[in-house]
């Protein structure tokens, strides 16, 4: 039976402790009702990004296979509280995720992280190894310098520029570099992202303030990847112009139980550009 979910009917909030205060964190809870395992999906760092915007093509197959799917919106995005982050954003997101899974009474989770979400998933796995089942990392997993690709990449330059000047023209310029085939991008998708972005100017301002306070928001976890015991599936687009594919090679070189799948003719959004094959890959990996 095909289960379809809407963003509004799955929209939830939970308050988590962070430092001396609390953050109100939004997430979408797609629950088949009898799930034995939970997959948390963590989005990327673009303006207007959210769990739903990043992963709406990836939910149903996992829920139909019996997984509960949680789309957690990191602080500074979507309907979650805003924040100026002066430390490691990967570790901030990992702390917040720990608070969310504590509040929901979850002992172990699988994590599927896109870009910044991948960096954050690795941070969580390093801090809470006993709470991670499997990891799926795509287009991200660690900060650090590429030995082959000049950084910041063209995509990251467009992303940072969009935070400073949130116009439809700059959004289209970023998203056209995002994917391999811009023909898949629709005016409806652009408008939804623009609306998300302009709804929360505080998120835009605080991302810029965070970057000014600490230009290295995502630490290089390279020296610690060997500590990760979780089985890990790394997925990349060969044509990724945001986080280059050699980062994926660094991840499988460091994480002992890891494998890499590269999609040709694919940019930074493998889970969206090749969603049918992506979903089959992830389902097979999680179901082993
Ligand atoms: O700067 C990095 O290393 C991470 C970049 C990143 O997370 C970009 C992702 C953007 C999206 O997923 C989006 O805008 O939907």
């Amino acid at each position: 039976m095909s289960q379809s979910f809407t963003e509004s009917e799955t929209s939830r909030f939970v308050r988590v402790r962070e430092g001396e205060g609390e953050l109100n964190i939004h997430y979408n809870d797609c629950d088949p009702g009898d799930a034995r395992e939970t997959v948390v999906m963590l989005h990327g760092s673009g303006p207007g990004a959210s769990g739903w915007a990043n992963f709406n093509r990836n939910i149903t197959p996992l829920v139909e296979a019996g997984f509960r799917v949680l789309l957690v919106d990191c602080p500074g995005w979507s309907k979650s509280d805003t924040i100026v982050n002066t430390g490691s954003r990967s570790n901030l997101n990992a702390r917040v995720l720990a608070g969310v899974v504590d509040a929901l009474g979850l002992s172990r989770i699988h994590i599927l992280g896109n870009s910044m979400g991948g960096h954050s998933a690795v941070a969580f796995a390093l801090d809470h190894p006993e709470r991670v089942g499997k990891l799926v990392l795509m287009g991200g997993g660690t900060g650090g310098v590429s030995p082959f690709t000049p950084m910041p990449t063209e995509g990251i330059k467009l992303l940072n520029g969009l935070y400073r000047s949130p116009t439809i023209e700059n959004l289209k310029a970023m998203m056209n570099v995002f994917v391999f085939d811009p023909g898949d991008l629709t005016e409806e998708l652009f408008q939804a992202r623009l609306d998300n972005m302009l709804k929360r100017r505080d998120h835009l301002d605080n991302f810029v303030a965070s970057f000014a306070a600490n230009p290295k928001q995502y630490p290089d976890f390279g020296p610690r990847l060997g500590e990760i015991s979780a089985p890990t599936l790394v997925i990349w687009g060969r044509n990724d112009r945001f986080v280059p594919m050699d980062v994926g090679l660094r991840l499988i070189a460091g994480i002992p139980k890891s494998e890499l799948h590269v999609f040709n003719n694919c940019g930074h959004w493998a889970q969206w550009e090749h969603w049918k094959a992506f979903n089959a890959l992830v389902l097979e990996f999680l179901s082993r």
Side-chain angles (χ1 to χ4, degrees):
M1 176 194 74
S2 177
Q3 274 187 303
S4 66
F5 297 90
T6 66
E7 197 286 326
S8 57
E9 76 182 8
T10 58
S11 178
R12 308 281 187 277
F13 287 91
V14 63
R15 299 194 66 80
V16 302
R17 289 205 56 75
E18 170 56 21
E20 297 302 310
E22 280 192 339
L23 290 169
N24 200 31
I25 297 300
H26 177 263
Y27 65 101
N28 294 93
D29 191 347
C30 305
D31 188 349
D34 55 355
R36 294 182 313 281
E37 298 176 78
T38 298
V39 179
V40 173
M41 297 185 178
L42 295 178
H43 60 82
S45 71
S50 68
W52 198 268
N54 273 200
F55 299 113
N56 59 74
R57 290 182 164 181
N58 312 113
I59 301 166
T60 299
L62 286 180
V63 173
E64 287 181 347
F67 293 95
R68 179 184 183 184
V69 175
L70 300 177
L71 309 174
V72 176
D73 290 334
C74 298
W77 277 271
S78 187
K79 293 180 265 188
S80 288
D81 276 352
T82 196
I83 192 167
V84 174
N85 175 63
T86 58
S88 157
R89 192 177 287 279
S90 308
N91 292 94
L92 164 65
N93 293 341
R95 289 194 301 273
V96 166
L97 176 57
V100 171
V101 294
D102 283 344
L104 298 179
L106 297 169
S107 55
R108 266 165 76 91
I109 54 174
H110 304 301
I111 311 177
L112 188 155
N114 171 36
S115 204
M116 170 183 75
H119 306 340
S120 308
V122 167
F124 185 92
L126 290 170
D127 290 347
H128 307 279
E130 75 290 350
R131 305 191 72 170
V132 176
K134 295 181 179 177
L135 291 174
V136 180
L137 307 174
M138 73 273 178
T142 182
V145 176
S146 163
F148 303 107
T149 309
M151 288 184 150
T153 59
E154 58 179 316
I156 295 300
K157 289 177 186 173
L158 289 169
L159 181 147
N160 288 331
L162 180 58
Y163 269 104
R164 289 168 176 78
S165 176
T167 64
I168 186 68
E169 294 78 16
N170 289 342
L171 174 64
K172 287 185 174 180
M174 182 190 84
M175 297 201 77
N176 284 330
V177 169
F178 225 27
V179 297
F180 174 76
D181 177 4
D184 288 345
L185 299 172
T186 63
E187 285 304 318
E188 182 190 4
L189 185 147
F190 286 130
Q191 194 56 53
R193 273 303 284 263
L194 186 72
D195 294 345
N196 274 358
M197 196 165 67
L198 299 181
K199 218 177 281 178
R200 294 298 302 264
R201 294 271 182 163
D202 53 344
H203 286 344
L204 304 183
D205 296 341
N206 286 341
F207 183 92
V208 174
S210 301
F211 192 81
N214 173 21
K216 292 193 181 306
Q217 290 280 307
Y218 311 111
D220 183 349
F221 292 126
R224 296 191 60 197
L225 292 174
E227 298 173 32
I228 295 176
S229 58
T232 301
L233 171 61
V234 181
I235 300 175
W236 233 271
R238 189 185 71 81
N239 315 80
D240 191 329
R241 296 151 73 183
F242 275 73
V243 183
M245 193 189 72
D246 55 84
V247 175
L249 296 172
R250 286 174 56 209
L251 290 168
I252 61 165
I255 300 173
K257 289 185 276 185
S258 62
E259 57 193 89
L260 171 65
H261 183 97
V262 179
F263 283 106
N264 202 4
N265 305 324
C266 181
H268 189 54
W269 247 19
Q271 80 282 3
W272 190 86
E273 297 176 73
H274 295 264
W275 57 279
K276 286 182 182 173
F278 177 91
N279 291 340
L281 261 177
V282 169
L283 206 45
E284 188 280 327
F285 174 69
L286 294 179
S287 305
R288 286 181 195 165

